[in-house]
Amino acid sequence: MVLVCEPVCDADQHISFNTAILTALSESGCDRILLMCSKGHWECLRRELSISVVNKIELHEISLISRDDSFSGFFEAFSLLKLVCLLAKNSQVSSMIFLTTTAGMLECTNRIKNPQKIYAFMHMALSRFNMYRPRNPISRWFTLTNVFKRLRSERLNVLVLEEHIRANLLSKFSHLENIVKCVEHPVPDKHGKVRFDEINTSEHYNKTVLGFPGNFTFDKGALDFASLANNSSLTVNHIFKVIGRNKEVSEEYCSNLYPKPLPKAFITSEEYNTQLVQSDYLFLGHKSEVYNWTASGVYVDAIELNIPIIAKRNQLYENEFEKYGAMGFLYDHVDEICVFLTSVRKCDYDSFKENMRKAKRSRNTSFSKSIFDMLNE
């Protein structure tokens, strides 16, 4: 039996990733899975999982713990891990998988003696390396940086979702060479969640649609996107659409963006997915340092839906383009996008889409192999 614990995510948070993990465990020969998560998260998982996977799961509902790097956060992690170890002992568990991991969880797994192998997935928590370092030495003890400095457990495997994240971690913590491993982010199937029959193609007017996914914010490249929309040489043949809400950018910059006016409230996940599919390109203008420590969920969405990207050049996308071939266009300055959009050919676009299919096949194969290897170590 394998014990799988989701200690912090509720409802549909990380639902695609966690569904992929549970499905891969089942397909790799795991007959029984002891799942620890909140009731709300389980209800969402059960809607996504196949009946055959659900039938292998034994649910143990838990109260979620805090993500805080503090004494209270560490105490909650310690209390949960005691329960995890007790269940593992009583159920003859061979290995433990934490689908999300906090600094407190890492600290406790590093110190508690347990015979099982432990696999801990790191997501957004790693972005805290970019945060202010507290001056108070007691507060500093609880930071993720100091937790990584103390990691020594031979039973613990810290799992990150991109190779460049592992390389960045090892550049800071060379002693983690045998602890930090990469499990490539899978590409879940979104097609069942998109109502293709409801997609309205009349708005295209035979124009190329560039979609800006998520909240329209400065740190995601909103000004670059708005400047493209205000370029009269592009608007003849292109539509610039925001797929999310706008809370930051002044209306004077948004006059040529769609829809009109830009929404101020969240859009539903169904509407979000449908509008993604209406796009010919997805615009990913995040600052280059954003993905030093985290995987890109919207890039995974682009691969799944086979929509080429126009993205700010960074380590993640450079690695991906080198590995699979161009899947769109990487830019340093927004003027370069204008040249690309006015010169790209249909054969280029078809090549981008084929390379994305290649990336999807490769990522899912690599992911499945990693899960199989975890079960058979």
Side-chain angles (χ1 to χ4, degrees), residues 4 31 42 67 78 99-100 112 116 137-138 146 150 160 197 230 233 246 254 267 279 302 313 327 341 361 367 374:
V4 179
D31 293 326
W42 169 240
R67 301 171 187 260
F78 175 74
L99 299 177
T100 312
I112 291 181
Q116 289 88 1
I138 297 176
N146 279 13
R150 294 190 292 268
V160 297
D197 56 316
N230 291 324
S233 67
N246 175 32
C254 304
I267 63 174
S279 304
R313 187 181 302 277
M327 292 179 276
L341 288 175
R361 291 192 297 269
F367 176 76
M374 284 165 54

Side-chain angles (χ1 to χ4, degrees), residues 2 43 45 50 172 188 211 238 321:
V2 174
E43 291 301 322
L45 281 171
S50 68
K172 288 174 68 73
H238 300 83
F321 277 42

Side-chain angles (χ1 to χ4, degrees), residues 67-79:
R67 301 171 187 260
D68 291 347
D69 299 346
S70 62
F71 174 79
S72 60
F74 277 48
F75 182 77
E76 290 179 19
F78 175 74
S79 300

Side-chain angles (χ1 to χ4, degrees), residues 258-270:
Y258 292 86
K260 296 178 182 293
L262 297 184
K264 299 292 186 183
F266 284 113
I267 63 174
T268 66
S269 59
E270 291 79 9

Side-chain angles (χ1 to χ4, degrees), residues 170-220:
L170 294 183
S171 70
K172 288 174 68 73
F173 311 103
S174 58
H175 68 286
L176 299 181
E177 175 73 33
N178 296 322
I179 293 178
V180 177
K181 300 176 182 176
C182 176
V183 174
E184 272 200 300
H185 199 304
V187 183
D189 187 2
K190 272 184 175 287
H191 282 95
K193 303 176 187 176
V194 179
R195 295 288 301 274
F196 288 92
D197 56 316
E198 294 183 358
I199 294 176
N200 175 18
T201 57
S202 63
E203 66 175 291
H204 285 48
Y205 300 110
N206 295 319
K207 294 184 178 183
T208 299
V209 178
L210 276 72
F212 186 107
N215 292 338
F216 195 55
T217 58
F218 296 122
D219 64 341
K220 292 183 179 180

